[in-house]
Amino acid sequence: MHPKIGSLLSPFPRVELIPWETPVQYLPEVSEAVGADVYVKRDDLTGFGIGGNKIRKLEFLLGDALSKGCDTVITMGAVHSNHAFVTALAAKKFGLEPVLILRGREEPKGNYLLDRLMGIETRVFDVEKTAELAPIAEEVAEELRAKGKRPYLIPIGGASPIGTLGYVRAAGEIASQSTELGLEFDTIVDAVGSGGTLAGLTLGLSLIGSRAKPVGIGVGIFEGDVGAKVLKLAEDAGKLLGVSAKLERPRIYDYSFGAYGKIVKEVAELIRWVGTREGLLLDPVYTGKAFYGLMELAKTGELGERILFVHTGGLPGLFHYGEEMLRLMQKP
């Protein structure tokens, strides 16, 4: 851990969900294919539940909830949400009762199957956009308060200033690993949904004076200016830390293929290619799209000569959308 990052984060309550530093791995076949050195930060191996990037955010979010004496955690997402499942699972570990406010169809597969197997309370609504769940979550919080509960609301994806601290901390981890490995990255790339991961990397890399540039690959068409949202999250997290960092708006490239959660043949085929060449499993909603974008951009030189991809997890997505992926790959 970079000492400056460790010092800045030390006043904030944090539960431990990640018992190790996730490894940085070289990808030789990918590197040869794109003409640049590509590494992956294995945050799919964060060590709790299904792993993934949300675990880093939850260390600070649940630390905050417990420090405030809360007894219930409410969060939102699609029925296939990695964030919703691991939030609920981690809440249970620390004696907090989780309530998930979800959008979609109640099919027992992927993360929703895990929700049901773990006995997690879910409330599923037929709304068009995940953002429409926020007022419903507020109503549920009021309902629970009326019953004497003390709920803690976590936004979609854990994308709050407190949650963003998880990837400020990850930036410090990457910095120390880079020094140990003798590596200097030109860009650090991740999938962008709710934006908290990229915001944390943007702030963290700035605080330590890293020359590596944060780059986001957008995996959905979202309301508003995603780049502005990421920058504001980073700035708000900086205010929490009591620092005045001069932050640049990170580059974000659109590889949504038209919509969040849209499953496409190109990404399904890439997932197979990367899996069979590198033994690395990507998912069709987040990391598959992000890696597809990384490979296209790397071939043009847009990402520099040495690239680090932050693997944000999402393995259950393969089981949620597997049949659809197979159908797409069988088409000529």
Side-chain angles (χ1 to χ4, degrees):
M1 175 57 58
H2 191 280
K4 181 175 182 179
I5 297 291
S7 175
L8 285 170
L9 292 175
S10 61
F12 293 87
R14 170 178 159 262
V15 300
E16 185 174 83
L17 292 170
I18 308 170
W20 46 62
E21 291 188 345
T22 60
V24 171
Q25 174 185 346
Y26 181 59
L27 300 178
E29 297 283 340
V30 170
S31 297
E32 184 177 353
V34 302
D37 287 330
V38 180
Y39 294 76
V40 57
K41 172 71 168 164
R42 296 293 304 271
D43 271 13
D44 55 322
L45 304 178
T46 40
F48 182 85
I50 59 170
N53 62 327
K54 308 305 182 186
I55 309 300
R56 291 193 184 272
K57 301 174 186 182
L58 287 167
E59 288 194 321
F60 288 94
L61 288 163
L62 294 185
D64 190 45
L66 290 167
S67 73
K68 291 176 176 174
C70 296
D71 55 20
T72 310
V73 168
I74 303 169
T75 199
M76 301 148 279
V79 289
H80 64 251
S81 171
N82 301 302
H83 161 73
F85 171 65
V86 293
T87 296
L89 196 66
K92 280 185 171 289
K93 174 179 169 61
F94 290 99
L96 301 166
E97 278 305 310
V99 181
L100 300 184
I101 312 300
L102 305 175
R103 173 186 67 84
R105 291 186 297 172
E106 297 183 67
E107 298 176 286
K109 58 183 181 180
N111 279 305
Y112 190 66
L113 172 62
L114 295 173
D115 293 336
R116 298 294 299 276
L117 287 172
M118 295 297 110
I120 293 162
E121 181 181 346
T122 60
R123 304 190 189 188
V124 183
F125 297 86
D126 182 16
V127 296
E128 186 178 346
K129 298 176 181 178
T130 305
E132 295 176 55
L133 297 174
I136 298 172
E138 292 285 354
E139 290 173 8
V140 172
E142 285 302 315
E143 170 198 320
L144 294 173
R145 289 188 190 105
K147 295 177 180 177
K149 297 287 187 180
R150 298 185 299 279
Y152 185 88
L153 270 73
I154 295 178
I156 294 165
S160 71
I162 288 287
T164 296
L165 298 181
Y167 269 88
V168 174
R169 190 171 191 272
E173 185 174 303
I174 290 168
S176 64
Q177 288 178 303
S178 298
T179 300
E180 291 167 7
L181 296 169
L183 297 173
E184 193 170 20
F185 296 107
D186 296 307
T187 50
I188 298 178
V189 180
D190 79 291
V192 177
S194 54
T197 299
L198 184 60
L201 291 172
T202 298
L203 177 58
L205 293 172
S206 174
L207 290 174
I208 60 179
S210 173
R211 66 177 292 274
K213 299 297 183 184
V215 174
I217 307 292
V219 300
I221 303 295
F222 303 105
E223 291 183 7
D225 185 334
V226 176
K229 178 183 177 182
V230 168
L231 191 58
K232 186 174 189 311
L233 264 177
E235 290 171 344
D236 288 348
K239 290 174 185 175
L240 268 185
L241 294 172
V243 297
S244 178
K246 188 175 181 181
L247 302 176
E248 294 181 13
R249 181 186 175 115
R251 286 180 280 160
I252 301 176
Y253 298 86
D254 178 13
Y255 277 87
S256 64
F257 292 88
Y260 171 76
K262 183 176 180 180
I263 310 304
V264 297
K265 181 177 182 179
E266 298 95 320
V267 172
E269 290 176 340
L270 176 76
I271 288 171
R272 177 179 286 177
W273 188 87
V274 174
T276 55
R277 297 301 193 282
E278 302 283 12
L280 186 71
L281 295 178
L282 305 170
D283 81 281
V285 177
Y286 293 97
T287 55
K289 287 183 175 181
F291 208 85
Y292 187 95
L294 179 151
M295 290 191 68
E296 278 207 343
L297 294 166
K299 287 174 183 177
T300 68
E302 187 74 15
L303 301 178
E305 297 179 0
R306 190 168 286 169
I307 305 157
L308 179 66
F309 178 70
V310 179
H311 191 323
T312 49
L315 181 65
L318 289 172
F319 302 102
H320 190 96
Y321 292 106
E323 293 179 8
E324 188 173 349
M325 291 171 64
L326 286 173
R327 283 196 298 271
L328 287 169
M329 287 192 285
Q330 287 165 2
K331 290 181 179 180

